[in-house]
Amino acid sequence: MSSDTTLTKAPAAPDDLPVHADELPIVPQRRLGQWTAAAAVLVLLGLAVTSVLRNRAFQWDVVADYFTSDSVLRGLWLTLWLTAVVMVLGFALGTLLAAARLSANPVLRAVSWGYVWLFRSIPILVQLLLWFNIGALYPHLFGVRTVDLFTPIAVAIIGLTLHEAAYAAEVVRGGILSVDRGQVEAAQALGLSRWRRWWRIVLPQAMRAIVPPAGNMLIGTLKGTSIVSVIAVQDLLFSVQLVYHRTYQVIPLLMVATVWYTVVTSVLSVGQYYVEKRYARGTGAAR
């Protein structure tokens, strides 16, 4: 090596310079916008709740007086009973319609499709009014006066059930179609009967897709029963209407119905969560 060659030593790294990547400090990203929006929402929510609680026009003392009155509880019971009957009958008819829609018979498929199309096209209020006035078209049925046969309760059950069945049919059909065809073929290869294939293989898997929309339908039906008040069925809404037509305390009586609907739908929502969790076991979706 020649004498005029100069070796330059690289400068030493500062002692405070991190050597490894895992030694680098991690600074969380500041989300000032999100916290500001959250604070604004909480302030507005607090103002709204304070306004509702302190507004004397709501007459919360009147709400408390009528909340558990006999007439209101009778209306609540009729609402719950009507909801249960309509859901059971609606899903029973809807299941038959779904089976017809999935059958190989073109007539059954066409009839099922036509039913769903018709009853999903007509508003439920129009259906109820048509059934309520069916006596104008058929004064007598089975030798009985139609007005005696189609009481307001009967009209409510018939109208709501036929309407519910159209939607239930699509829910059930979608749940059945969600099951992998290979599952049915494997069960058939094992020699399981048609009934056992449906009961043990198809239905449990289809319920995972059926339960969420069915739960929403149940809550929707509960609230939808309030529409039967137009045909003088003494449900929860009609019961409070009878009271405020007499006392002219419209707002507090409507709040009675509102709170009861909120309580019942909240209970049903909790039940829906646990039913969904049960059928989601083993899929990784349970939480």
Side-chain angles (χ1 to χ4, degrees):
M1 181 179 295
S2 60
S3 59
D4 58 347
T5 301
T6 304
L7 296 177
T8 303
K9 184 178 180 180
D15 295 338
D16 57 347
L17 184 65
V19 178
H20 301 288
D22 56 359
E23 296 181 6
L24 293 173
I26 300 177
V27 180
Q29 182 181 2
R30 296 182 178 180
R31 302 180 182 276
L32 182 60
Q34 292 184 5
W35 286 108
T36 302
V41 170
L42 290 176
V43 170
L44 292 175
L45 182 60
L47 292 175
V49 172
T50 302
S51 174
V52 170
L53 295 178
R54 299 182 64 180
N55 191 333
R56 295 182 179 180
F58 282 100
Q59 297 178 271
W60 292 109
D61 55 334
V62 177
V63 174
D65 290 339
Y66 284 101
F67 191 70
T68 55
S69 63
D70 292 339
S71 61
V72 171
L73 292 180
R74 284 195 300 269
L76 175 64
W77 167 251
L78 181 58
T79 294
L80 296 176
W81 177 83
L82 187 59
T83 301
V85 170
V86 168
M87 283 298 295
V88 171
L89 296 179
F91 263 87
L93 179 57
T95 302
L96 294 177
L97 291 169
R101 185 76 178 274
L102 295 172
S103 71
N105 190 314
V107 176
L108 293 180
R109 290 202 309 269
V111 171
S112 176
W113 180 89
Y115 179 97
V116 172
W117 164 77
L118 179 63
F119 282 92
R120 289 201 305 180
S121 302
I122 306 175
I124 181 59
L125 178 58
V126 177
Q127 294 183 42
L128 287 176
L129 293 176
L130 284 174
W131 285 108
F132 191 69
N133 294 281
I134 194 68
L137 298 174
Y138 303 98
H140 292 84
L141 287 174
F142 310 111
V144 182
R145 293 178 58 200
T146 306
V147 293
D148 297 330
L149 189 62
F150 284 79
T151 62
I153 288 290
V155 168
I157 293 175
I158 293 172
L160 292 176
T161 297
L162 295 178
H163 178 80
E164 197 80 6
Y167 290 90
E170 292 299 282
V171 170
V172 174
R173 185 174 71 91
I176 294 174
L177 291 177
S178 69
V179 179
D180 186 4
R181 180 64 184 173
Q183 299 282 329
V184 180
E185 294 175 352
Q188 188 174 5
L190 292 174
L192 295 180
S193 64
R194 183 179 181 87
W195 170 253
R196 293 192 66 186
R197 289 200 303 267
W198 279 93
W199 183 252
R200 303 289 298 178
I201 305 299
V202 176
L203 186 60
Q205 297 183 69
M207 289 298 290
R208 298 170 186 166
I210 292 174
V211 168
N216 293 334
M217 287 180 60
L218 173 60
I219 295 174
T221 301
L222 173 72
K223 297 182 296 183
T225 55
S226 61
I227 202 170
V228 301
S229 60
V230 300
I231 55 175
V233 175
Q234 295 190 15
D235 68 322
L236 177 59
L237 178 59
F238 191 79
S239 297
V240 300
Q241 287 177 328
L242 289 178
V243 176
Y244 72 61
H245 285 158
R246 185 179 69 251
T247 64
Y248 301 103
Q249 295 170 318
V250 178
I251 296 299
L253 269 301
L254 288 178
M255 289 306 300
V256 169
T258 299
V259 175
W260 268 123
Y261 280 121
T262 303
V263 170
V264 177
T265 53
S266 299
V267 172
L268 292 178
S269 297
V270 173
Q272 177 186 353
Y273 167 78
Y274 284 105
V275 173
E276 289 182 16
K277 187 176 180 180
R278 179 182 183 278
Y279 282 103
R281 289 181 304 181
T283 63
R287 61 185 184 276

